[in-house]
Amino acid sequence: MLSSPLPVINALKQPTTSAWVEQSISNLDVILLDHSHCERKAAGVALNFMFRYPSLAKLVKELTRIAKEEIEHFELVNQWLERKNIPLAPLSPPPYGARLKAEVRRKEPEHFLDNLLVTGLIEARSHERLGLLAANCPEPELAKFYRDLMDSEARHFGTYWILADTYFNREEVIKRLDELGTIESEILQTLHPNPRIHS
């Protein structure tokens, strides 16, 4: 019997399906490896924002903290990989990230807003899915590990939301987040055949 997560982030238009949970629990080694890639990419995204917008003091301060935390999580996930004798290896990405990025408008300042909101949505989905893994993982220690990490994903979503709200009109932010949130959920309606955190 699959458990449902208690936390909900309203930006997510549709919850993750039980099919994803079943696929992931049946392929925990692959999910752990993909999780490692996700944490590394998340740190890179935070750094890329700082390189692109170095004069935005609040952004630099907040994303420096997130980049550090993502690298710490990357290290923790890699410790689990080592513990389970899972070698670091490349994985083909699911279409999720590329399809979301394709929705990002190219012209500034819309490009900046869309990137903040897309990154926030990815963090929100990570929060939800780590919660599902924590609730359903048959390995108690690994379940606790997921439970310990999930709150930080919610904080990260909150940070990207606050940054969007700092640099843009709130009505514009809410409208665009609603549009992107709908697209994000549509992307996940079809389960990708390869188990991934965002499949």
Side-chain angles (χ1 to χ4, degrees):
M1 183 70 165
L2 299 176
S3 300
S4 295
L6 295 176
V8 173
I9 292 180
N10 291 332
L12 301 179
K13 300 297 185 181
Q14 295 292 331
T16 288
T17 64
S18 59
W20 179 86
V21 180
E22 291 167 0
Q23 182 193 58
S24 298
I25 295 301
S26 299
N27 296 276
L28 280 173
D29 285 4
V30 177
I31 289 296
L32 264 172
L33 179 57
D34 186 55
H35 189 178
S36 171
H37 289 291
C38 288
E39 297 290 359
R40 175 179 50 80
K41 289 175 189 173
V45 167
L47 291 171
N48 285 337
F49 271 111
M50 289 187 279
F51 284 124
R52 186 162 182 137
Y53 308 102
S55 63
L56 301 180
K58 181 177 178 66
L59 177 141
V60 170
K61 179 179 179 181
E62 294 295 332
L63 296 191
T64 296
R65 180 181 55 79
I66 284 183
K68 288 178 181 177
E69 194 166 29
E70 301 286 18
I71 286 295
E72 288 171 4
H73 294 171
F74 175 63
E75 183 180 13
L76 290 172
V77 177
N78 288 349
Q79 288 172 8
W80 269 98
L81 294 178
E82 187 174 346
R83 178 176 173 178
K84 288 175 154 286
N85 295 312
I86 303 168
L88 280 170
L91 281 177
S92 60
Y96 175 82
R99 287 181 60 187
L100 270 179
K101 289 293 184 183
E103 299 297 326
V104 173
R105 293 168 290 182
R106 294 187 178 185
K107 185 180 177 182
E108 294 288 8
E110 292 84 1
H111 183 81
F112 180 33
L113 173 61
D114 287 1
N115 269 321
L116 287 171
L117 295 179
V118 162
T119 305
L121 282 167
I122 293 170
E123 295 285 355
R125 187 63 70 180
S126 297
H127 165 74
E128 183 217 26
R129 291 195 163 181
L130 291 185
L132 284 166
L133 290 170
N136 294 282
C137 181
E139 302 176 32
E141 285 187 65
L142 186 55
K144 181 182 183 302
F145 173 67
Y146 287 129
R147 196 158 36 252
D148 290 344
L149 288 188
M150 62 181 287
D151 287 345
S152 66
E153 306 296 336
R155 285 198 312 276
H156 295 172
F157 165 75
T159 296
Y160 284 106
W161 161 260
I162 289 168
L163 288 172
D165 193 51
T166 298
Y167 298 111
F168 295 91
N169 175 275
R170 180 166 296 185
E171 286 186 8
E172 181 184 4
V173 173
I174 291 171
K175 180 177 182 292
R176 188 58 177 154
L177 180 61
D178 185 67
E179 294 168 353
L180 292 170
T182 298
I183 293 166
E184 191 269 349
S185 289
E186 288 172 354
I187 293 169
L188 295 177
Q189 281 181 357
T190 302
L191 184 67
H192 192 61
N194 300 322
R196 300 289 188 269
I197 294 288
H198 299 104
S199 61

